[in-house]
Amino acid sequence: EVQLVESGGGLIQPGGSLRLSCAASGVSVSSNYMNWVRQAPGKGLEWVSVIYSGGTTYYADSVKGRFTISRDNSKNTLYLQMNTLRAEDTAVYYCARQRVGATSGGYDYWGQGTLVTVSS
Amino acid sequence: DIQMTQSPSTLSASVRDRVTITCRASQSISSWLAWYQQKPGKAPKILIYKASSLESGVPSRFSGSGSGTEFTLTISSLQPDDFATYYCQQYNSYPYTFGQGTKLEIK
C-alpha cells in the first residue's frame, strides 16, 4: 500500500523559514516524479514544485527563489524548504506522486496534507 | 502560463441527475488533462487522466471527453457520495495549472 505522510507544518512569522517533509512508503521518491501542491484556506489547488527522478526541478513563479524541493533517497522522503515566507504562502501543502508516460498522467497518490500558517 | 477555466463554479443537482462540468484551456493541451474530486478536509482524488481515461476503481458513471482546449467531465447519474468539489488540471506544460474548481451541491 502506498502512503505519503507530510509533516513539518505550523505557525511561522512572515520572513521565517520552514521545512516540510513527505515520508513515502510503498513508492520510491527517487524513482518517481514527486510534487508539492498547496491549497490556501477555502481556495483552489495550486501546483508548487516538482522533482523528477533524474533530479530536475521546476517551481511555480510565486515560490521561485524562495522554496527548494529536494529528497533523501536513503530515507525515501521528499522535502520542501520554504524561506522568506509570506502571508500568501498560508495553505495546506500536499505531496503527490505524478505518473508519467504517453498513456498516463495525473497525480495518483497524495498525502493528507500539512498546514502552514504564516502570520505575526 | 496556461489558464484553466471551469464552469460553472457551483452546480446544484439532485441524486440521479446527469451533470456536466466544462474546463477550457487558454491554449491547446492536446489530451493532457486530469480531473480530481475533493471532499472537505481531504486530499484530491484522481478520477480521469489523459482527458478520457477512467482511473482504476472509479465508478463508470464518471466519464471525461475533449481534446485541445475544451474538456468535459460528466457524471451520468449522481450518487450521494458525488457531492464534492471537482478540479481539472493540465499537465501539458509547467506550471501544471488547475481550474478554479466546481462545487457540486445537493439541490
Side-chain angles (χ1 to χ4, degrees):
Chain A
E1 181 193 8
V2 173
Q3 274 201 312
L4 300 174
V5 179
E6 300 96 337
S7 61
L11 175 63
I12 187 77
Q13 292 190 337
S17 297
L18 211 54
R19 188 178 80 159
L20 305 184
S21 300
C22 171
S25 57
V27 65
S28 167
V29 297
S30 64
S31 303
N32 283 276
Y33 289 20
M34 299 298 296
N35 291 257
W36 289 98
V37 176
R38 68 184 180 183
Q39 186 169 36
K43 302 297 184 183
L45 300 167
E46 180 188 16
W47 173 79
V48 173
S49 183
V50 62
I51 183 166
Y52 285 1
S53 51
T56 299
T57 60
Y58 292 98
Y59 299 91
D61 285 347
S62 57
V63 307
K64 200 173 297 181
R66 300 187 299 122
F67 290 12
T68 302
I69 191 171
S70 64
R71 66 191 180 211
D72 184 329
N73 297 343
S74 66
K75 295 182 178 178
N76 205 26
T77 299
L78 177 73
Y79 300 103
L80 186 68
Q81 177 67 42
M82 305 186 296
N83 298 332
T84 320
L85 282 161
R86 305 167 180 166
E88 54 264 36
D89 296 318
T90 294
V92 173
Y93 285 73
Y94 297 99
C95 61
R97 194 275 290 262
Q98 175 181 337
R99 288 186 306 209
V100 295
T103 59
S104 188
Y107 301 159
D108 58 347
Y109 296 116
W110 296 69
Q112 85 288 351
T114 187
L115 176 62
V116 173
T117 303
V118 184
S119 175
S120 54
Chain B
D1 296 1
I2 299 174
Q3 307 303 316
M4 305 300 292
T5 304
Q6 285 181 236
S7 61
S9 295
T10 306
L11 180 56
S12 296
S14 302
V15 173
R16 291 182 296 279
D17 280 355
R18 178 184 180 91
V19 299
T20 296
I21 299 169
T22 297
C23 179
R24 289 186 174 87
S26 60
Q27 64 190 73
S28 177
I29 58 170
S30 184
S31 296
W32 303 119
L33 184 102
W35 288 98
Y36 301 88
Q37 176 193 67
Q38 187 180 34
K39 295 182 179 179
K42 300 293 187 181
K45 171 189 172 184
I46 190 167
L47 302 173
I48 301 286
Y49 62 95
K50 211 176 179 195
S52 60
S53 296
L54 188 68
E55 180 72 11
S56 176
V58 173
S60 59
R61 62 181 180 272
F62 291 92
S63 64
S65 66
S67 66
T69 62
E70 189 142 340
F71 303 86
T72 58
L73 173 70
T74 298
I75 309 173
S76 60
S77 178
L78 273 173
Q79 298 302 301
D81 190 51
D82 301 337
F83 292 94
T85 300
Y86 293 84
Y87 295 93
C88 60
Q89 180 204 23
Q90 65 83 16
Y91 52 97
N92 178 78
S93 62
Y94 288 110
Y96 284 1
T97 39
F98 292 87
Q100 81 279 14
T102 295
K103 186 175 183 179
L104 182 51
E105 299 179 331
I106 300 174
K107 185 184 287 184

